[in-house]
Amino acid sequence: RKEVEQDPGPFNVPEGATVAFNCTYSNSASQSFFWYRQDCRKEPKLLMSVYSSGNEDGRFTAQLNRASQYISLLIRDSKLSDSATYLCVVRGSGYSGGGADGLTFGKGTHLIIQP
Amino acid sequence: DAGVIQSPRHEVTEMGQEVTLRCKPISGHNSLFWYRQTMMRGLELLIYFNNNVPIDDSGMPEDRFSAKMPNASFSTLKIQPSEPRDSAVYFCASSPQVRGGSPLHFGNGTRLTVT
């Protein structure tokens, strides 16, 4: 089983719709969780951290489910500018090869918002 | 604020040549990471430093790869000799600390093509 797994998509969504995607992780000792956004041919940029109680930042809501070992990202009222690849990042301890206290990136979910 | 600065932005070289990638982390960040990104494998951690000391280099593909951090404001990743399979985007990232909930801040990346 992969350490951090995401559906690669692409998710094709009409502008204004709500879209959600999940990320599953294999190490139950993971401590920190993030969503990054990466535009084509650009560097990954932090979108938001994910807190145990869930958190919201404008149109974006992140949730953590430790029992099922997944995090989710919900985007409401999607905009054309939301088109990007969304990377799930898990940070914890004990990953082999993960380094950096187990910082591991998923391969990303490709989102396309259509006009 | 200046972000993580990488150079060069693009590098095209012939197989067998030496390649040196450079990174200047954000001032005050004491952790520095080198990543490689390809379509097939996504983002892979190659090596990371804490307070200029290499902590984990288990992600370095083979002896052709080496990384140094002579001081808090500069790091290099060297490939010698380079091979076509090394073609990828190489990202440098920095963070205030290795452990805990600090996210990474990425540079613009170096797009390496080895022919």
Side-chain angles (χ1 to χ4, degrees), chain B residues 13 28 31 34 38 49 52 54-55 68 71 76-77 85 88 112 115:
Chain B
T13 190
S31 299
W34 282 101
T38 61
F49 296 83
N52 312 340
I55 303 300
K68 295 182 180 179
N71 57 63
T76 59
L77 177 68
R85 61 191 166 123
L112 173 64
T115 60

Side-chain angles (χ1 to χ4, degrees), chain A residues 11 13 16-23 35 47-50 54-64 70-79 82 86 111 113:
Chain A
F11 284 46
V13 176
T18 295
V19 59
F21 27 84
N22 292 342
C23 161
W35 282 103
L47 178 66
M48 59 195 303
S49 302
V50 186
N55 48 298
E56 191 174 301
D57 183 0
R59 297 181 294 107
F60 298 84
T61 300
Q63 298 259 328
L64 168 63
Y70 75 84
I71 66 173
S72 63
L73 179 66
L74 178 82
I75 306 174
R76 289 182 301 278
D77 187 24
S78 54
K79 313 290 185 189
D82 294 334
Y86 291 83
L111 175 65
I113 305 299

Side-chain angles (χ1 to χ4, degrees), chain A residues 92-115:
Chain A
S93 60
Y95 282 116
S96 59
D101 202 34
L103 188 82
T104 305
F105 281 77
K107 289 189 178 180
T109 296
H110 189 198
L111 175 65
I112 301 170
I113 305 299
Q114 297 173 328

Side-chain angles (χ1 to χ4, degrees), chain A residues 32 34 36 38 41-46 49 87 91 93 97-101 103 105-107, chain B residues 33 35 37 40-41 43 45 48 56 58 91 97-104 106-108 111:
Chain A
S32 305
F34 309 92
Y36 276 71
Q38 186 172 24
R41 303 179 78 85
K42 299 282 190 180
E43 74 277 19
K45 292 184 178 179
L46 178 68
S49 302
L87 301 167
R91 196 169 195 179
S93 60
D101 202 34
L103 188 82
F105 281 77
K107 289 189 178 180
Chain B
F33 306 78
Y35 282 86
Q37 187 175 37
M40 289 297 294
R41 301 173 71 88
L43 267 167
L45 178 66
Y48 76 95
D56 186 348
S58 59
F91 287 106
Q97 58 185 344
V98 172
R99 292 180 179 270
S102 298
L104 302 188
F106 283 81
N108 292 332
R111 186 170 296 274

